[in-house]
Amino acid sequence: MWTVLKSAKTTKKCIPIQVVAIASTLLFSNLGALGQTQPITTPNIQSGGCEPIAKIIEGDRHWASLSKVCKSAQINPEPGGTVEVFCYLRGSILQVSAGTIGDKCLPLSTRERSGCSLQNEHNCINIKGPNEDTDAPLRITPYGVAIINPRPMLSWVTTPGASSYIVQVEGIGVSWSLSVPNTRLPYPKDQPALQAGNVYDVNIIAKRGEKFIACQSLLVSVSEDRVQQVATTIKRLQTFQESPDELAIDMDAVYNAQALIDESIAVLSARTKVSSQNPAIYRLLGERYLQGNSVFAASSAYKSAIALAQKVNNPDELALAEAGAKIAAITQSQLLPTRIKPAQ
């Protein structure tokens, strides 16, 4: 199966550090709640202009249903009761007792928050080492490491001068290799699907003359119970009767908490395709593209977020979008000049 990859002496590895770090965390935490979760920061009168970390669903004596609250907000259930709360930092719905919301919706631990985010800028820079080929066909999709779709679309960055590519996928219950002429491959219908809860090696090998240039990456197929948990939360969110943009932002929080970057990007992109005027949609999309190592797409999303934030006079979103754009610009400047801009 791995004849080309193992025998070609000119083949190089290009395993992004971020990908390995997230995959390791996924394995050791049994696919627990990890990721680079960003608090939803849409300003609102009820939160007093601070940064909301949760949404009150029902059961609080003081807060109206669907109020966004900051970490210092007090929860006020009926005596002996609880309040249903959607925690952005966890991407989950909890029943919480009286107290401060910041103590109930605790942020993810430092270990869980590995990877690129506004809180972890040092992890956003992903430069290839001296022994790695700068023209290696780095995987684009599926974005990130953790996935739900058992038959994902595979795409990768073009290798200049490559005549064809070999895609190899191997793991429990799966072992196949195909040669393709372009940089996009729908998961083969005649091959077994990826099995939930398992890790798979994905090797993309560019053939340029007599030379083979490979990029190795990992995909983690999320366990069935975790998929069900996500689906249950999403279904509950859909009953809130909120705007499509607000629902997309909530769904992004759920997916991002589980490191399901591919799902987050799909949800947010759907809103941009109908010309959403909410700068938070584009800003979050920029963050997710950064997490998925798609710097050029991130820059474009941040640019749209900045323009919309200025248009609607939203200084909070403008500041966040400009900070993200700066990270994307730094990352982009670190890319070696031989790397061409990938199609997104």
Side-chain angles (χ1 to χ4, degrees):
M1 168 57 68
W2 305 113
T3 304
V4 173
L5 183 61
K6 291 181 178 179
S7 63
K9 294 183 179 180
T10 53
T11 297
K12 303 287 183 70
K13 297 180 180 180
C14 62
I15 306 176
I17 295 175
Q18 178 187 337
V19 169
V20 175
I22 295 176
S24 298
T25 306
L26 279 167
L27 290 175
F28 286 111
S29 63
N30 193 29
L31 294 177
L34 80 159
Q36 304 77 35
T37 308
Q38 300 298 320
I40 306 304
T41 56
T42 306
N44 64 92
I45 296 176
Q46 293 168 320
S47 66
C50 63
E51 187 173 57
I53 66 167
K55 177 181 294 182
I56 304 298
I57 300 175
E58 60 183 8
D60 194 276
R61 290 178 294 162
H62 296 168
W63 294 102
S65 177
L66 302 184
S67 295
K68 295 179 181 179
V69 295
C70 303
K71 63 181 181 180
S72 61
Q74 293 294 314
I75 299 300
N76 310 280
E78 295 293 338
T82 58
V83 176
E84 189 175 28
V85 175
F86 175 52
C87 296
Y88 296 132
L89 296 175
R90 290 283 176 181
S92 59
I93 296 175
L94 305 176
Q95 296 290 335
V96 302
S97 55
T100 303
I101 191 64
D103 295 331
K104 308 299 181 180
C105 291
L106 295 175
L108 299 174
S109 67
T110 301
R111 180 170 177 267
E112 290 174 319
R113 286 187 288 110
S114 62
C116 171
S117 73
L118 294 181
Q119 284 87 1
N120 300 288
E121 297 184 24
H122 62 282
N123 286 332
C124 298
I125 310 300
N126 182 26
I127 307 305
K128 294 179 176 58
N131 295 322
E132 294 173 349
D133 198 308
T134 59
D135 287 336
L138 182 67
R139 177 169 59 81
I140 299 175
T141 63
Y143 296 100
V145 178
I147 60 171
I148 289 179
N149 183 3
R151 294 180 177 276
M153 170 65 71
L154 297 169
S155 66
W156 52 93
V157 175
T158 300
T159 294
S163 58
S164 62
Y165 300 86
I166 298 172
V167 179
Q168 301 173 330
V169 178
E170 183 162 298
I172 296 177
V174 174
S175 182
W176 56 266
S177 177
L178 283 177
S179 178
V180 293
N182 48 42
T183 58
R184 186 179 177 88
L185 176 65
Y187 196 96
K189 295 181 179 179
D190 60 345
Q191 295 295 334
L194 306 182
Q195 298 179 13
N198 293 318
V199 181
Y200 294 90
D201 289 312
V202 178
N203 297 314
I204 301 171
I205 308 165
K207 186 178 187 301
R208 185 166 61 187
E210 298 301 316
K211 182 180 181 181
F212 292 97
I213 309 169
C215 179
Q216 294 180 286
S217 63
L218 299 176
L219 285 178
V220 179
S221 185
V222 176
S223 63
E224 293 180 358
D225 61 332
R226 192 64 64 179
V227 172
Q228 184 58 49
Q229 177 183 330
V230 169
T232 299
T233 303
I234 296 294
K235 185 176 181 179
R236 182 74 173 94
L237 294 175
Q238 292 171 334
T239 68
F240 291 173
Q241 301 299 312
E242 295 187 295
S243 70
D245 280 349
E246 190 66 23
L247 175 59
I249 290 172
D250 287 351
M251 291 174 65
D252 166 70
V254 176
Y255 289 133
N256 188 43
Q258 300 295 333
L260 294 168
I261 308 306
D262 204 50
E263 304 296 326
S264 276
I265 288 177
V267 167
L268 296 169
S269 294
R271 296 308 304 154
T272 68
K273 291 177 181 177
V274 295
S275 301
S276 167
Q277 296 299 295
N278 188 337
I281 292 290
Y282 297 84
R283 187 258 303 171
L284 288 169
L285 183 59
E287 292 180 13
R288 303 302 165 253
Y289 275 132
L290 271 184
Q291 289 170 268
N293 292 316
S294 293
V295 181
F296 297 101
S299 296
S300 178
Y302 281 128
K303 182 179 180 180
S304 297
I306 291 172
L308 281 174
Q310 292 172 333
K311 179 180 179 181
V312 301
N313 191 26
N314 188 329
D316 293 329
E317 277 299 331
L318 178 60
L320 288 169
E322 288 178 339
K326 180 179 179 180
I327 294 175
I330 293 173
T331 308
Q332 189 170 330
S333 70
Q334 297 292 335
L335 295 175
L336 296 175
T338 54
R339 168 64 68 205
I340 65 171
K341 178 179 178 180
Q344 301 291 350

